[in-house]
Amino acid sequence: MARGSAVAWAALGPLLWGCALGLQGGMLYPQESPSRECKELDGLWSFRADFSDNRRRGFEEQWYRRPLWESGPTVDMPVPSSFNDISQDWRLRHFVGWVWYEREVILPERWTQDLRTRVVLRIGSAHSYAIVPWSLLFLAGLVNYQISVKGSNLFKLEVRLLDAENKVVANGTGTQGQLKVPGVSLWWPYLMHERPAYLYSLEVQLTAQTSLGPVSDFYTLPVGIRTVAVTKSQFLINGKPFYFHGVNKHEDADIRGKGFDWPLLVKDFNLLRWLGANAFRTSHYPYAEEVMQMCDRYGIVVIDECPGVGLALPQFFNNVSLHHHMQVMEEVVRRDKNHPAVVMWSVANEPASHLESAGYYLKMVIAHTKSLDPSRPVTFVSNSNYAADKGAPYVDVICLNSYYSWYHDYGHLELIQLQLATQFENWYKKYQKPIIQSEYGAETIAGFHQDPPLMFTEEYQKSLLEQYHLGLDQKRRKYVVGELIWNFADFMTEQSPTRVLGNKKGIFTRQRQPKSAAFLLRERYWKIANETRYPHSVAKSQCLENSLFT
């Protein structure tokens, strides 16, 4: 990254840990180090679905107290994967209820013989709830040892910050503090700077004197240094106006479903770079930690969204839901707070924000999220009317979903520009906040063609996007700060008369092949990227200082 001629000093403490003041605990991403070993449990597991009427037969008969095959027939199930997409059993395709996984694991002898070793079982993700019976852990040989520390004065904590060339640029000791870094290299989003995203390595060594002697632990965390700020008309990264031109995604693909897959992940990032996209929203749930790490490396900016989707009825906005929603935001912020790619939190997608009860509910969730992390703006994604939205006063950025000429006025592409202009003007006049068009698009079945364009054809999707882009261009140098197409790729949904083998709004098929709209979007995104990289070609933007999030 470009280095200033004068010595710049950055306080890493507030950047890395300041946002964690309201958070306790949490688990670091597992990685190998001189003190840490990882044993992957991916592979074939024994699997059984509980098809009983109440879906609780497994608990009633205590299947967990003996090998799973003794309770009834099991099948092989790959992990990670979505079991719905693997089996030929029609009952599993849309199964909702308890399913049981089992695998016998042999651990290294030193893990169970060395009393200083702490063994932790980590489940990367589960949809949507998981229980691990402790009796199974005991039978498998997992023993969780605790090391007693005689006094806090017996701790020794050493911290080092290394640059991309593995040169130590800062040192520190103690459980908290600041690292001063001369000649800071900033983390920049993809296509916003001449060089790729810059990551430092934060190395931590903790040594403790225990009753069994000294024990040391080593951990390395990739970190990026950057600022995020919001004004009434701009989104700023490192003090420069940033325009989101990207996609909404889903963790979904053929056969593997939502199961994590490295080849698929690398393919998706190659497509994002081919497209010229610089951002995406994790619709509508936090993605795998490996995805966030790739975003850090590639400089892809993330709007990190929690699973707050489907809040459509008044009874959903109660104190029980509110308490749980706050817990979920704590989990999301705790896990992802140290990723420089994450620039904004989204607490919900399309809640019924016109309800009075929703206003208080969203106010509390947003305020709680800000207390957890004061360094990032907070939003939710709205599809409500601007005059009735009770949650909009509390967000930092307005995110809007609208599907003009698709869900209403369908076929009338000529109305889009007027409708979009009216939408933007009404929202900005009332709230005076930057706006992101967080969803727009049209269903398209690859290979369907018709001229003049008709719905579900590639021509219609392309024409709809063109009309949206004309409307976006009228406002994007004023107060519209981003556009995210729905969707990056086709994805599977429940069966319904309105879905043809899932949602077909992707610019790529579920198999990651481009539709005509992908080439249109690629041309647009690279044009916008070049304007950002070479700002002499566009009107100079004003940059307001002293923003809340700097």
Side-chain angles (χ1 to χ4, degrees):
M1 303 307 307
R3 297 175 182 265
S5 55
V7 175
W9 297 91
L12 268 182
L15 283 174
L16 293 175
W17 302 297
C19 65
L21 295 178
L23 297 171
Q24 300 293 330
M27 180 180 287
L28 293 169
Y29 182 81
Q31 64 175 229
E32 298 262 320
S33 77
S35 61
R36 293 173 176 240
E37 293 180 83
C38 297
K39 185 178 181 66
E40 294 286 345
L41 301 183
D42 296 355
L44 287 181
W45 288 57
S46 294
F47 173 91
R48 186 181 179 192
D50 188 339
F51 290 115
S52 62
D53 292 340
N54 65 1
R55 301 292 198 255
R56 297 191 60 82
R57 181 182 174 189
F59 295 105
E60 294 166 354
E61 297 181 357
Q62 299 183 339
W63 291 356
Y64 52 85
R65 291 196 174 276
R66 57 189 186 277
L68 188 59
W69 61 267
E70 291 186 7
S71 66
T74 63
V75 297
D76 288 339
M77 187 61 65
V79 174
S81 71
S82 294
F83 65 81
N84 314 77
D85 292 293
I86 300 297
S87 174
Q88 295 302 110
D89 187 340
W90 64 269
R91 297 176 300 170
L92 282 178
R93 186 64 188 85
H94 296 287
F95 181 81
V96 176
W98 288 102
V99 297
W100 294 72
Y101 286 83
E102 180 190 78
R103 183 176 176 185
E104 183 176 325
V105 179
I106 300 176
L107 300 181
E109 184 177 359
R110 60 185 176 278
W111 285 21
T112 57
Q113 298 301 316
D114 189 343
L115 297 182
R116 297 174 299 176
T117 299
R118 179 170 178 255
V119 181
V120 177
L121 175 66
R122 176 182 179 271
I123 300 174
S125 64
H127 185 80
S128 56
Y129 192 74
I131 295 176
V132 181
W134 288 107
S135 58
L136 270 184
L137 289 183
F138 177 78
L139 290 173
L142 286 175
V143 182
N144 195 349
Y145 292 102
Q146 297 291 331
I147 299 175
S148 60
V149 180
K150 296 181 179 179
S152 59
N153 60 322
L154 300 180
F155 277 106
K156 181 181 180 182
L157 183 65
E158 301 178 55
V159 182
R160 299 192 307 165
L161 191 71
L162 284 71
D163 63 16
E165 299 175 353
N166 283 326
K167 295 180 180 178
V168 177
V169 295
N171 289 280
T173 58
T175 58
Q176 60 183 354
Q178 296 181 348
L179 297 181
K180 293 185 176 180
V181 186
V184 173
S185 294
L186 297 176
W187 184 93
W188 287 96
Y190 179 50
L191 300 175
M192 194 177 175
H193 204 267
E194 294 296 332
R195 297 184 182 183
Y198 191 99
L199 293 177
Y200 289 93
S201 293
L202 185 69
E203 292 188 350
V204 179
Q205 178 180 350
L206 176 65
T207 302
Q209 295 293 334
T210 74
S211 57
L212 300 174
V215 175
S216 294
D217 190 17
F218 302 84
Y219 195 85
T220 300
L221 181 72
V223 296
I225 302 174
R226 58 102 183 94
T227 62
V228 176
V230 173
T231 73
K232 69 176 186 178
S233 62
Q234 291 180 320
F235 195 101
L236 309 176
I237 296 181
N238 297 332
K240 293 186 178 182
F242 179 77
Y243 188 81
F244 295 78
H245 48 92
V247 302
N248 294 275
K249 289 183 92 278
H250 264 301
E251 290 185 314
D252 174 83
D254 272 345
I255 301 176
R256 63 189 58 77
K258 291 184 179 296
F260 177 78
D261 182 72
W262 272 112
L264 177 67
L265 179 60
V266 174
K267 177 65 174 179
D268 280 1
F269 271 79
N270 286 336
L271 288 175
L272 288 172
R273 291 162 67 90
W274 174 86
L275 195 63
N278 66 359
F280 68 79
R281 174 169 67 118
T282 65
S283 47
H284 305 291
Y285 41 83
Y287 290 179
E289 290 180 76
E290 292 84 354
V291 177
M292 313 308 288
Q293 294 165 6
M294 288 284 281
C295 289
D296 291 341
R297 292 179 57 191
Y298 281 73
I300 301 295
V301 166
V302 177
I303 300 174
D304 204 349
E305 188 165 270
C306 82
V309 62
L311 300 172
L313 300 175
Q315 57 264 37
F316 293 162
F317 300 99
N318 56 56
N319 288 334
V320 174
S321 294
L322 177 60
H323 177 71
H324 178 65
H325 204 144
M326 289 180 172
Q327 282 186 313
V328 168
M329 288 312 304
E330 290 178 12
E331 293 172 0
V332 174
V333 174
R334 179 186 292 116
R335 195 197 74 168
D336 292 344
K337 64 183 182 294
N338 286 329
H339 289 287
V342 176
V343 299
M344 185 158 60
W345 307 110
S346 173
V347 302
N349 176 70
E350 297 183 351
S353 51
H354 63 281
L355 299 173
E356 290 293 340
S357 57
Y360 173 79
Y361 182 101
L362 291 167
K363 176 184 178 181
M364 297 304 293
V365 173
I366 291 168
H368 184 65
T369 305
K370 287 175 176 289
S371 71
L372 298 172
D373 179 9
S375 72
R376 289 179 176 92
V378 181
T379 189
F380 72 89
V381 176
S382 177
N383 65 347
S384 294
N385 180 276
Y386 78 97
D389 197 302
K390 302 299 190 296
Y394 309 112
V395 301
D396 302 299
V397 177
I398 302 288
C399 289
L400 301 176
N401 292 353
S402 59
Y403 288 90
Y404 300 126
S405 298
W406 187 256
Y407 288 124
H408 49 81
D409 296 318
Y410 33 82
H412 291 281
L413 297 169
E414 74 279 3
L415 298 178
I416 291 177
Q417 288 189 56
L418 175 60
Q419 292 172 324
L420 201 59
T422 302
Q423 167 193 279
F424 289 146
E425 290 165 6
N426 287 339
W427 280 88
Y428 189 72
K429 181 179 180 180
K430 183 171 178 64
Y431 298 106
Q432 296 288 296
K433 296 176 180 180
I435 299 173
I436 295 175
Q437 182 69 43
S438 44
E439 287 185 27
Y440 70 104
E443 301 258 357
T444 305
I445 300 176
F448 275 32
H449 298 281
Q450 191 77 37
D451 187 53
L454 294 180
M455 295 177 73
F456 295 98
T457 66
E458 294 193 38
E459 287 76 18
Y460 192 89
Q461 184 186 43
K462 184 177 178 181
S463 298
L464 185 145
L465 265 58
E466 288 173 335
Q467 293 301 309
Y468 260 89
H469 296 162
L470 290 171
L472 286 161
D473 285 342
Q474 294 176 19
K475 307 296 182 183
R476 71 179 173 91
R477 296 194 182 101
K478 297 179 180 179
Y479 49 80
V480 172
V481 298
E483 56 192 77
L484 304 175
I485 188 72
W486 187 272
N487 193 284
F488 172 74
D490 296 343
F491 58 93
M492 187 54 67
T493 64
E494 289 185 340
Q495 295 185 78
S496 80
T498 61
R499 300 296 190 201
V500 183
L501 289 179
N503 190 307
K504 289 292 192 290
K505 291 190 182 72
I507 58 170
F508 297 99
T509 66
R510 201 180 185 211
Q511 296 74 34
R512 280 26 181 198
Q513 297 305 311
K515 303 176 187 177
S516 298
F519 297 95
L520 172 72
L521 211 59
R522 181 176 191 251
E523 181 178 357
R524 174 173 177 79
Y525 282 179
W526 277 104
K527 178 182 177 182
I528 294 174
N530 287 331
E531 290 176 359
T532 304
R533 296 174 71 183
Y534 308 108
H536 61 270
S537 62
V538 297
K540 186 176 181 180
S541 301
Q542 288 189 339
C543 196
L544 302 181
E545 298 180 352
N546 300 321
S547 169
L548 173 64
F549 303 105
T550 302

